[in-house]
Amino acid sequence: MTKQLFSAKFRAHTNIALIKYWGKRNKELFLPVTNSLSLTLDAFYTDTEVEFDTSLTSDVFYLDGVLQNDFHTAKVSRFLDLFRKEANRPNLFATVRSINHVPTAAGLASSASAFAALAGACNLALDLAIDTQTLSTFARQGSGSASRSLLGGFVEWHKGQGDDSASSYAEVFDDADWDLAMVFVIINRQAKKVDSRLGMEHTNETSPFYELWPREVAKDLEKIKPAIKAHDIDTVGTIAEHNAMKMHAMTIAANPSFTYWEPGSIEAMQIVRRLREEGISAYLTMDAGPNVKVLCRASEAERVKAAFVSRFGEEQIVIAKPGPNAYPLDKE
Ligand code: ADP
Ligand code: DP6
């Protein structure tokens, strides 16, 4: 029988949460404990090509040109299963070739852009015509934060109800078309020791502060939303920084305790505070890794960058602006 190929290529940008997702109520379906709210960014992204091939007997996964081991391929296969099911083709395997234009597993949200790009590519390759809201519920099941990377600007991921997967989707909250940037201070590009999945599970299970988290997130969301609509960067930044600090405080209080912070992260935090003393609107957030991201005005981003360059070096500081929706690419 002649083999048939169904292929497509997609680009999705990373997103950084201002109000964090840090806990699942359903691990199989990646249903979160709280809503979360992020900013999609233009500087970091993933390009993924998927080729479903009737002659294959298993999936093959290349990341940055390197054939991946069974562990990483299995994660991708589980995700492809969602689309095989939707297409009613359980035995249609694929070759996935993905390039991360973002350091992998360093707390710079590679899993967010990765699974959003793969979701977009699968949808197109199999001609499924899944709408973006529903596609975000698929992306979510590769990595929770990926639900938010299909969309540009400020994006809210709704926690949804009970075990209803369809109700836990992402949607645009604001187009972020205002004077806004995020300066990335890359302390360490290496993969972290505790990945976000493990880190959040351990925090949920052992941190005595976790019970406070859902209420804090609800309060933060209620306050940050009008501030985003009002383009009030100081209120947005203050709430986002506090939300991140509360997340990291929970990891320190976990048992055994752990932290994603490195000495360089703390130095970067001190520089952010100094910038504020100088009258610059600069606010930090951090994820499951040592890197520090600084929310500021786009018109002041070069000044913010300069404050970090002398300590960390030019190549470690990246200015990002709000990024777009995920979109299809021409295949090579
Ligand atoms: P990060 O902070 O980079 O998001 P995570 O630990 O959340 O780190 O996710 C990293 C994991 O995501 C990797 O170990 C890999 O399993 C998966 N991943 C990263 N990039 C890709 C990609 N382009 N395609 C498929 N899976 C990917
Ligand atoms: C700190 O989405 O990577 O970046 O759903 O287990 O894949 P899994 O976790 P992931 O966690 C992201 C955690 C965070 C906060 C956020 O992006 O909201």
Side-chain angles (χ1 to χ4, degrees):
M1 213 171 72
T2 51
K3 75 171 176 179
Q4 284 180 292
L5 300 174
F6 310 93
S7 63
K9 191 171 178 183
F10 232 79
R11 172 173 294 174
H13 290 76
T14 57
N15 72 79
I16 295 297
L18 300 185
I19 306 297
K20 309 289 183 193
Y21 146 58
W22 199 244
K24 298 178 182 68
R25 65 175 193 277
N26 178 324
K27 282 182 210 142
E28 281 69 48
L29 291 174
F30 290 73
L31 294 169
V33 173
T34 67
N35 289 23
S36 54
L37 195 142
S38 59
L39 182 62
T40 298
L41 295 154
D42 67 354
F44 298 114
Y45 54 91
T46 298
D47 289 344
T48 297
E49 185 171 0
V50 64
E51 185 175 72
F52 288 94
D53 178 342
T54 51
S55 72
L56 286 178
T57 52
S58 63
D59 297 316
V60 184
F61 172 37
Y62 292 90
L63 179 56
D64 297 330
V66 179
L67 182 65
Q68 298 293 292
N69 64 21
D70 288 351
F71 175 76
H72 289 294
T73 307
K75 274 203 212 173
V76 165
S77 286
R78 269 198 303 278
F79 190 67
L80 294 176
D81 286 343
L82 300 172
F83 292 89
R84 284 191 268 262
K85 192 167 168 219
E86 197 67 17
N88 214 359
R89 306 215 39 180
N91 297 316
L92 183 59
F93 297 101
T95 302
V96 173
R97 288 189 181 83
S98 188
I99 306 284
N100 279 342
H101 296 270
V102 50
T104 302
L108 291 167
S110 70
S111 64
S113 52
F115 286 99
L118 187 54
C122 289
N123 189 26
L124 195 59
L126 296 173
D127 210 11
L128 292 169
I130 300 169
D131 64 88
T132 306
Q133 183 172 310
T134 309
L135 195 60
S136 76
T137 71
F138 282 68
R140 188 196 77 222
Q141 295 174 67
S143 184
S145 52
S147 63
R148 301 182 308 236
S149 263
L150 285 168
L151 295 163
F154 285 102
V155 178
E156 182 170 18
W157 168 20
H158 299 276
K159 70 182 164 87
Q161 296 95 38
D163 286 337
D164 176 24
S165 180
S167 64
S168 183
Y169 60 88
E171 70 177 341
V172 174
F173 176 72
D174 181 89
D175 62 12
D177 192 14
W178 42 287
D179 188 14
L180 204 64
M182 193 174 267
V183 176
F184 284 68
V185 183
I186 302 176
I187 309 288
N188 190 340
R189 285 172 201 263
Q190 297 302 305
K192 58 214 170 197
K193 290 188 197 77
V194 184
D195 75 12
S196 29
R197 198 158 299 173
L198 273 178
M200 76 172 76
E201 200 175 320
H202 180 63
T203 309
N204 302 177
E205 285 168 1
T206 69
S207 182
F209 298 158
Y210 193 75
E211 65 179 81
L212 302 172
W213 178 244
R215 202 180 65 214
E216 292 301 312
V217 168
K219 278 197 285 188
D220 290 345
L221 274 169
E222 202 180 301
K223 283 187 284 176
I224 206 170
K225 284 179 166 183
I228 290 171
K229 290 294 185 201
H231 301 182
D232 174 357
I233 189 169
D234 294 299
T235 305
V236 171
T238 302
I239 296 164
E241 184 169 309
H242 188 211
N243 185 267
M245 291 299 124
K246 287 183 276 194
M247 176 196 132
H248 289 274
M250 287 192 296
T251 75
I252 291 173
N255 190 13
S257 166
F258 71 107
T259 183
Y260 291 107
W261 298 4
E262 291 182 9
S265 320
I266 295 171
E267 281 185 67
M269 288 179 193
Q270 285 163 340
I271 295 173
V272 171
R273 290 189 193 116
R274 208 177 63 220
L275 279 166
R276 283 211 289 272
E277 281 159 20
E278 290 166 9
I280 304 283
S281 297
Y283 301 89
L284 71 95
T285 188
M286 284 182 69
D287 295 283
N291 304 308
V292 174
K293 297 110 190 180
V294 186
L295 189 73
C296 63
R297 292 193 168 88
S299 52
E300 291 180 335
E302 286 296 344
R303 170 138 182 227
V304 170
K305 177 177 173 178
F308 294 100
V309 165
S310 56
R311 166 61 187 85
F312 296 99
E314 175 85 33
E315 65 290 349
Q316 301 302 105
I317 317 300
V318 179
I319 296 177
K321 304 273 173 58
N325 291 343
Y327 56 89
L329 294 170
D330 290 334
K331 286 171 280 161
E332 267 109 55

